[in-house]
Amino acid sequence: MEIKNKVALITGSSRGIGKAIALRLAKEGANIAINYLKNKEQAENVAKEAEKHRVKAKTYQADVSNYPEVKEMIQKIVNDFGTIHILINNAGIIPQHFSILDIPVEEWEKILTVNLTGAFNCTKAAVPIMIKNEEGKIINISSVAGKMGGTVGPHYAASKAGIIGMTFSLAQELLKYNITVNAIAPGPIETEMIKNLPEERKKKILSRVPMGRFGKPEEVAETVVFLIKCDYITGEVIDINGGYYMD
Ligand code: NAD
């Protein structure tokens, strides 16, 4: 797909990986819908930065885990931009507890609801619009944890593995509408999500990365651009993890 002049919704894009994707797609000439949960000011700043690329950029508050809010957001985007061609399901949270012995049931449910149901909600609301367009690109941000378990708990791993299963299933279902669905499985990427972890945990994570450094949000954004431009890839999961492995 040619990115220039397309409309892209990036969930959770007021900071981190989502912000890098939004700005990169703006640089490629896409008009940008920036979804955020709480921080309006940060989201507005991303919009201002995106507009420097002479594209349209607007912010939309919505909790991706709340379907009525998502439906309303999608409707507003269609009113503002006319349509949606690209959906990046990026919004996500990491848990506070990592061991099955400590994880409260409520935390399990919250992680699954935001990370997995959130991506389902946005996809469900956006797909009818893409079907009308007879084209669409959906990219789901999974994680190395979804393939290998990782270090951030079974609920996080399950939510990210669920994203991968959903990607495979939707890729098959939506092929006939010229909609591709792919996932990206990043290893540790230098964002606030990682920066806020205790030093010990950060060291442990880094010790698993043969390249010896965290990835950059811009490196994930580059992968997004590749997946949008290459029409022949669907139902794929691209690892971007510096050679991360289990010991
Ligand atoms: P981040 O915490 O900086 O950004 C996540 C964004 O999602 C935030 O802006 C947050 O407000 C938003 N968000 C959270 N809950 C939301 C909700 N209910 N509705 C709408 N927005 C919501 O984290 P990040 O590192 O940029 O992570 C982005 C994505 O990449 C996440 O899905 C994360 O799981 C995934 N990921 C991150 C890493 C990493 O090392 N940073 C590695 C693998 C995968």
Side-chain angles (χ1 to χ4, degrees):
M1 180 190 272
E2 183 63 50
I3 296 177
K4 199 169 165 47
N5 296 327
K6 294 295 190 306
V7 178
L9 163 61
I10 306 100
T11 66
S13 53
S14 62
R15 69 180 206 187
I17 294 171
K19 173 181 172 182
I21 294 170
L23 294 179
R24 184 60 210 273
L25 292 181
K27 193 175 171 198
E28 296 283 328
N31 297 307
I32 303 296
I34 297 154
N35 158 253
Y36 69 96
L37 181 63
K38 284 186 186 141
N39 200 325
K40 187 175 170 61
E41 197 185 329
Q42 263 185 348
E44 294 290 343
N45 287 340
V46 177
K48 273 186 210 137
E49 246 184 277
E51 280 166 349
K52 287 183 191 155
H53 297 289
R54 292 197 210 124
V55 297
K56 208 168 143 184
K58 286 179 85 67
T59 63
Y60 300 88
Q61 194 284 328
D63 178 346
V64 293
S65 67
N66 180 319
Y67 188 63
E69 282 187 28
V70 168
K71 277 280 281 180
E72 205 185 319
M73 167 177 71
I74 297 285
Q75 192 51 57
K76 281 186 191 156
I77 296 169
V78 171
N79 292 346
D80 292 342
F81 290 92
T83 190
I84 297 173
H85 303 98
I86 299 163
L87 168 65
I88 315 293
N89 283 311
N90 165 78
I93 49 174
I94 50 169
Q96 285 173 341
H97 302 87
F98 306 110
S99 162
I100 186 77
L101 302 176
D102 309 323
I103 298 167
V105 171
E106 296 73 22
E107 187 176 292
W108 166 273
E109 283 166 356
K110 175 84 180 164
I111 297 293
L112 267 292
T113 310
V114 173
N115 291 0
L116 182 55
T117 310
F120 167 80
N121 286 344
C122 295
T123 306
K124 183 171 170 60
V127 157
I129 296 155
M130 292 180 178
I131 291 176
K132 257 192 230 155
N133 289 339
E134 296 178 351
E135 64 174 346
K137 298 281 174 192
I138 300 171
I139 297 171
N140 299 318
I141 306 299
S142 175
S143 166
V144 69
K147 295 181 82 177
M148 292 191 250
T151 57
V152 269
H155 38 1
Y156 185 77
S159 71
K160 294 300 182 177
I163 285 270
I164 292 174
M166 192 173 76
T167 299
F168 291 155
S169 169
L170 287 172
Q172 287 180 40
E173 185 189 342
L174 299 179
L175 194 87
K176 59 179 173 292
Y177 303 111
N178 196 25
I179 299 169
T180 67
V181 189
N182 291 291
I184 296 175
I189 306 295
E190 208 160 32
T191 66
E192 275 162 73
M193 194 178 253
I194 288 275
K195 280 180 204 153
N196 294 338
L197 290 174
E199 276 311 312
E200 266 316 296
R201 181 156 283 276
K202 274 196 270 192
K203 259 194 213 153
K204 197 175 164 199
I205 294 173
L206 201 54
S207 72
R208 295 183 174 210
V209 184
M211 283 192 192
R213 67 166 177 90
F214 293 121
K216 298 187 181 78
E218 292 73 21
E219 290 172 317
V220 180
E222 186 68 36
T223 315
V224 167
V225 168
F226 165 72
L227 281 173
I228 296 171
K229 285 188 176 172
C230 194
D231 292 323
Y232 201 51
I233 301 178
T234 196
E236 187 54 82
V237 185
I238 308 247
D239 292 329
I240 169 160
N241 62 22
Y244 185 109
Y245 64 98
M246 298 268 285
D247 48 21

